[in-house]
Amino acid sequence: MESHEENYQQNALLHLRKALAAYPEDAHVWIQAGIVAFKLKEFQEAQRCFEATRNMVLSEHVILVRDLYLARCL
């Protein structure tokens, strides 16, 4: 986590991108990457991450959260 460091969110996004390269079928990693990208105001990347999960299995709650973030990206 290293949340005490100033650039921890950028580092987290870098590690999430690596995780996505290794596990592209994991919808929850896509959601996490999307949320971090959103927080960094990387709205296009966040949108791509959220849209990547449209055909993946997620709980109803996570789908609703995803859709909320996706709408905010637009």
Side-chain angles (χ1 to χ4, degrees), residues 7-30:
N7 62 345
Y8 77 97
Q9 289 181 335
Q10 291 87 350
N11 287 337
L13 186 55
L14 290 173
H15 290 293
L16 286 165
R17 288 174 184 152
K18 290 179 184 179
L20 286 172
Y23 302 102
E25 71 283 352
D26 190 331
H28 293 95
V29 178
W30 283 104

